[in-house]
Amino acid sequence: MRANPRFVGGRILRNVGHGIFYRMEVAVPDRVEFVPGQFAMVSGWPGNDPLLPRPLAIFRSGGTRVSGTVEFVYKVVGRGTALLSGLHEGDPLSITLPLGNGFRLDDPDRTWWLAGGGVGFSTVFPAGMALSQGRSDFEMFLGARTREQLPPRDWTPGGNVPGRVHLCTDDGTAGFHGTVGAALRARLEALKPPEAGRLSILACGPREMLREIAETAGSRGVPAQVSLENHMACGFGVCWGCVTEVREGDGTAYRRVCKEGPVFDAREVVW
């Protein structure tokens, strides 16, 4: 069941850097239920600069009904995330969550390919955790510019299962020499029609990567869900600052990534 968004005050339990990524665990008043792909708006710095909280994918949650934890993985990309990276154990956070629409994982008989580019893995890993718990068949395609920018192996759901994780680097220092989109296309072109007919793709990463995956999936009739990473302001659909163009009937329309997304059917998005 989808939970309603709510505002909570949290307190940092740990906020540790791993290469170019940070992983933050926060104590919250009670357990957070979320759908993989949903996100939170997070702030914790003193004063009003920057004014707006930052959207972070919900990476994991735990605890009981009376005491919970929630985890985020992020990369420093601007002033807000730089300030978050400087926070320490015990510092307070303001959090609104869970927000947006997550991935639909309602067909356990399908084979799932999960694609994460850059910090986009933090959005698809929770889907991998859910699929692993449901004993569904899935593989991961993880891309970065260099091996140093790939996520830690021990964070990867099912990372120790042979053949499950496919690494891709732009400079060829780990795994496939090229992009996630190119690796996924090569694998998909090799599938026989019955195998492709059982496949669904979930993806989050740079827009160019998502566009390439959408085109590849569409050419084989494979359903794909993509999580967009548009800049957001309010996070709950009031300001219309994060809209994306989608197909509607014979024309197009605009949808709020924070409210109607961030996960969309890849065929719906105007790339």
Side-chain angles (χ1 to χ4, degrees):
M1 179 181 296
R2 181 181 173 185
N4 292 322
R6 58 198 170 103
F7 173 83
V8 300
R11 196 162 293 277
I12 294 174
L13 297 174
R14 59 189 175 100
N15 186 28
V16 181
H18 300 264
I20 65 170
F21 304 110
Y22 286 83
R23 184 164 177 171
M24 176 188 286
E25 183 179 16
V26 185
V28 291
D30 51 21
R31 185 178 178 86
V32 173
E33 302 294 343
F34 74 103
V35 177
Q38 287 189 298
F39 67 98
M41 298 298 288
V42 180
S43 64
W45 46 85
N48 296 318
D49 182 20
L51 177 63
L52 300 170
R54 291 296 180 263
L56 299 179
I58 302 174
F59 191 70
R60 181 176 290 180
S61 70
T64 67
R65 294 182 63 182
V66 296
S67 175
T69 60
V70 61
E71 292 184 52
F72 306 103
V73 170
Y74 63 97
K75 182 175 73 171
V76 173
V77 294
R79 179 168 168 75
T81 45
L83 290 170
L84 287 177
S85 72
L87 299 178
H88 302 93
E89 178 181 349
D91 285 341
L93 285 182
S94 298
I95 310 170
T96 304
L97 79 175
L99 294 166
N101 292 300
F103 293 112
R104 298 177 299 281
L105 306 172
D106 48 3
D107 189 346
D109 295 329
R110 299 195 71 78
T111 298
W112 302 84
W113 285 1
L114 280 55
V119 75
F121 74 85
S122 65
T123 295
V124 298
F125 274 17
M129 296 172 199
L131 293 169
S132 182
Q133 291 170 0
R135 300 184 181 278
S136 295
D137 183 20
F138 71 95
E139 297 181 30
M140 292 270 191
F141 296 78
L142 303 175
R145 292 177 179 171
T146 70
R147 67 179 303 136
E148 290 77 18
Q149 297 181 7
L150 289 165
R153 185 181 183 86
D154 58 355
W155 292 4
T156 307
N160 292 325
V161 177
R164 171 162 286 176
V165 180
H166 311 282
L167 303 179
C168 312
T169 50
D170 293 350
D171 65 356
T173 50
F176 178 81
H177 188 174
T179 65
V180 166
L184 192 145
R185 183 176 63 250
R187 284 291 309 281
L188 185 55
E189 289 175 346
L191 290 186
K192 297 177 180 176
E195 295 172 316
R198 293 192 298 271
L199 181 64
S200 288
I201 297 173
L202 314 176
C204 182
R207 191 174 180 89
E208 180 59 25
M209 180 195 104
L210 299 182
R211 182 190 64 76
E212 186 175 5
I213 290 175
E215 291 177 355
T216 300
S219 69
R220 293 294 304 269
V222 172
Q225 302 173 50
V226 294
S227 180
L228 302 183
E229 295 182 315
N230 290 33
H231 292 290
M232 296 181 186
C234 72
F236 44 89
V238 173
C239 71
W240 288 78
C242 60
V243 296
T244 193
E245 189 175 13
V246 300
R247 295 180 175 82
E248 184 175 81
D250 295 331
T252 62
Y254 287 94
R255 295 285 182 268
R256 297 163 292 186
V257 171
C258 69
K259 185 71 173 180
E260 285 82 28
V263 175
F264 292 88
D265 186 319
R267 297 168 298 184
E268 184 183 8
V269 178
V270 177
W271 298 101

